[in-house]
Amino acid sequence: MTDVLVVDKLNAGYGAVPVLRDVDLTVPAGTITAVLGANGAGKTTLLRTITGLVRPTGGRILFSGADLRAVKVEQLVRRGIAHVPEGRGVVAELTVDENLRLGGLWRKDKADAKKATAEVYELFEPLARRRAHLGHQLSGGERQMLALGRALVARPTLLLLDEPSLGLAPKVTAQIMALLKQLRDTTGLTVLLVEQNVRGALSIADRGVVMSLGRIVMSADADQLLADDGLRHAYLGF
Amino acid sequence: MERFVFLTFDGLSRGAVYAAFALALVLIWRAARVVNFAQGAMAVVTAYAAYMVSDAVGSYLVGFVVALVGGLLLGALVERGLMRFVGHANPLNDVIVALGLVLLLTAVVGIIFGGEFRAANQPFDTRAIEVGGVPLMSRYDLFIWGTVATIVVLLALLFTRTAVGLRMRAAAFAPEVSRLLGVNVGRMLTLGWALAAVVGAVAGVLILPTELGLHPHAMDIVFASSFAAAIVGGLDSPVGAVVGGIIVGLILSYVSGYLGAALTPVAVLAVLLAVLLLRPGGIFSGVRARTV
């Protein structure tokens, strides 16, 4: 299976404070890789460094073989990378419809962008009923649907998803996880999923990667991580 | 009663210009979270350019177009060449740089053109048309209203109906997310400054014929009134800028007409103070959006 994303000896931080230390990671095409770990482990920084929001201080990031370090943040979506940041990133002052339009504005194929938006409305029915509502008028679950839907309008190859379950009811979290699994199975979407909800993430992931203090300390098949009591106790705390 | 009607129409005309100028302030505030204290000085520069060209070619319209293009270029230049390099972490940095720009532009204009007042060109008669013996609006007032209304409609269409407008709004509200969605935030910021400078330039060209004329400090009081208008309406609200402009225009017209022109700066400060005390966010400040 081809690796869509290869992270090689990646180092990054905020000012003089290093956060990521020699992170190595590969994400095969059409798979879900869950990045797990406690608060402050560097999970969010990893995603932000991949998309250039945090500049790496060392190492390489290869997407479909091309080095991303010289690529501007606003160009990444054109290359097929969609990043749904922590806190969902819905533009609160724009309507649902405007948020979704924003997701496809860069696309030259306007007809397909429109089709993709229609598909999102089919996928997330609550959004269809709230097209004219502003982002800040939505519930947490609806905002997550909107952020995810907006990313899908870009028809990405790789979806970077940061804590999609944060603050959501278990039922809504389960729906989101099921949807990611469905997207992987039906469209071949590759997902790099940062989550603190370990059980939920591993239930849909192909592989799990555990981070601690900016390093990857464990990488294994998701089933193996779930089944191995020793691993779960040592790295995941349950 | 006749005087009241006259002052009301006069206030509406001035208010329209204040509204346009306040709109320019709001545009930059929404795009960059910066109060552009140099807006007045920038408008003076473009007004001088318009004056020189229209004087040379004998056409008000050509001068007007020069003001528009000059505003566009000056706004873009100020953002790309100056404001982009200011550290925005402390809002005071932007204020100090903008005030420095005021000093620079005013000094340069003074060096080149001198400090004397120059009569600004007028495309239409400024004598009020009488209806039933009551002087109402002049043809020039109608021109002001038409121009400001056109600006407001065009801006509303730009922001609500076009992809560029959507990008500009998104970039202003959520720059990081916008970058992830493929929006060139820097370019949108430049465009925001350029558009605001165009609106400011138009406001400057419109109001100068009704004031003492062209002068390096010609827009100082206009800026103060327009700033008050933007605060009255709410710095985040384009609609508020328009309504605030009209309110301030009317108040100043009544104060000037009934109490004397010398009191208008005091009236501007009083309005500003009252709004800041009673409703600091402005009349049109909404409920603050929840952070999501």
Side-chain angles (χ1 to χ4, degrees):
Chain A
M1 202 178 289
T2 319
D3 291 328
V4 167
L5 182 72
V6 176
V7 173
D8 178 29
K9 298 273 181 292
L10 187 64
N11 287 273
Y14 299 96
V17 182
V19 177
L20 300 183
R21 301 156 196 263
D22 293 328
V23 170
D24 290 318
L25 175 72
T26 54
V27 181
T31 64
I32 298 176
T33 300
V35 181
L36 312 167
N39 273 337
K43 306 186 298 295
T44 293
T45 303
L46 174 62
L47 292 197
R48 291 175 66 82
T49 309
I50 290 170
T51 45
L53 293 172
V54 173
R55 301 308 299 172
T57 53
R60 293 189 308 160
I61 306 159
L62 302 175
F63 173 68
S64 298
D67 196 338
L68 290 184
R69 285 174 302 171
V71 180
K72 288 182 177 173
V73 176
E74 51 267 30
Q75 292 296 326
L76 287 177
V77 71
R78 290 169 174 82
R79 295 193 174 218
I81 300 177
H83 180 180
V84 179
E86 191 179 17
R88 297 168 193 124
V90 164
V91 186
E93 294 82 357
L94 300 183
T95 65
V96 168
D97 218 34
E98 287 171 335
N99 265 286
L100 289 180
R101 268 178 60 211
L102 194 59
L105 271 188
W106 61 274
R107 297 188 59 188
K108 289 192 169 62
D109 188 348
K110 297 297 173 198
D112 191 58
K114 212 169 175 179
K115 190 174 162 219
T117 305
E119 287 169 12
V120 168
Y121 278 130
E122 273 179 36
L123 205 57
F124 301 110
E125 280 185 7
L127 295 183
R129 293 194 297 269
R130 291 175 163 262
R131 287 170 193 243
H133 283 64
L134 294 172
H136 69 82
Q137 294 173 317
L138 304 179
S139 68
E142 288 165 342
R143 286 202 294 273
Q144 188 59 63
M145 288 176 199
L146 180 55
L148 193 52
R150 191 181 57 194
L152 295 178
V153 170
R155 297 216 190 278
T157 309
L158 173 65
L159 176 65
L160 308 178
L161 208 49
D162 197 351
E163 302 272 14
S165 73
L166 194 70
L168 298 186
K171 189 181 166 190
V172 181
T173 302
Q175 285 173 345
I176 299 281
M177 295 298 172
L179 177 74
L180 291 175
K181 189 166 181 278
Q182 182 195 331
L183 287 168
R184 177 200 60 189
D185 296 341
T186 56
T187 68
L189 180 68
T190 307
V191 181
L192 183 60
L193 171 68
V194 161
E195 257 299 344
Q196 289 211 46
N197 176 355
V198 176
R199 281 181 196 278
L202 289 178
S203 70
I204 60 159
D206 299 284
R207 285 191 67 77
V209 168
V210 183
M211 289 189 76
S212 176
L213 299 174
R215 297 178 194 277
I216 290 186
V217 293
M218 178 76 203
S219 178
D221 285 344
D223 293 341
Q224 191 187 341
L225 274 173
L226 270 176
D228 190 323
D229 289 343
L231 285 177
R232 284 195 286 113
H233 286 308
Y235 294 115
L236 304 175
F238 72 96
Chain B
M1 187 61 190
E2 279 181 22
R3 185 159 179 73
F4 177 77
V5 172
F6 171 76
L7 290 174
T8 301
F9 275 89
D10 182 56
L12 289 174
S13 298
R14 281 169 172 271
V17 177
Y18 296 150
F21 217 76
L23 205 51
L25 291 171
V26 167
L27 280 176
I28 291 183
W29 174 257
R30 280 167 65 106
R33 274 4 213 185
V34 172
V35 177
N36 182 19
F37 285 96
Q39 192 81 67
M42 289 165 68
V44 165
V45 171
T46 50
Y48 267 103
Y51 170 84
M52 295 298 289
V53 171
S54 64
D55 211 37
V57 302
S59 165
Y60 177 86
L61 186 65
V62 173
F64 193 84
V65 172
V66 165
L68 294 182
V69 176
L72 198 72
L73 295 176
L74 185 60
L77 183 69
V78 166
E79 195 282 318
R80 292 300 291 249
L82 187 65
M83 300 310 288
R84 182 166 291 202
F85 303 103
V86 178
H88 300 296
N90 184 348
L92 205 54
N93 295 346
D94 299 304
V95 174
I96 290 168
V97 171
L99 291 176
L101 187 61
V102 172
L103 296 177
L104 177 72
L105 293 177
T106 309
V108 170
V109 165
I111 290 167
I112 296 173
F113 298 102
E116 72 273 17
F117 282 95
R118 295 166 188 246
N121 297 328
Q122 302 164 0
F124 301 103
D125 196 345
T126 52
R127 282 173 299 177
I129 301 165
E130 291 191 9
V131 176
V134 180
L136 298 178
M137 302 177 95
S138 68
R139 286 186 173 80
Y140 188 66
D141 289 334
L142 289 172
F143 174 66
I144 289 176
W145 270 98
T147 307
V148 173
T150 304
I151 289 172
V152 171
V153 169
L154 287 178
L155 285 176
L157 289 175
L158 173 75
F159 284 111
T160 58
R161 301 290 169 90
T162 69
V164 172
L166 182 55
R167 284 192 185 98
M168 287 179 75
R169 287 158 65 206
F173 292 129
E176 189 172 274
V177 170
S178 299
R179 291 179 75 197
L180 291 171
L181 296 170
V183 177
N184 188 327
V185 172
R187 197 175 292 164
M188 292 304 113
L189 204 54
T190 306
L191 189 57
W193 273 82
L195 275 178
V198 168
V199 177
V202 171
V205 170
L206 286 177
I207 200 159
L208 285 173
T210 67
E211 299 287 310
L212 290 172
L214 202 51
H215 181 268
H217 293 282
M219 295 297 287
D220 289 0
I221 294 293
V222 177
F223 176 80
S225 305
S226 304
F227 178 64
I231 298 296
V232 167
L235 265 174
D236 256 320
S237 168
V239 176
V242 174
V243 176
I246 291 166
I247 290 172
V248 169
L250 286 171
I251 290 173
L252 295 190
S253 181
Y254 295 141
V255 168
S256 175
Y258 290 121
L259 302 174
L263 282 176
T264 51
V266 179
V268 171
L269 288 176
V271 169
L272 205 54
L273 197 64
V275 171
L276 289 175
L277 284 173
L278 298 173
R279 197 169 167 86
I283 295 170
F284 283 81
S285 62
V287 177
R288 196 170 176 79
R290 280 185 288 153
T291 304
V292 293

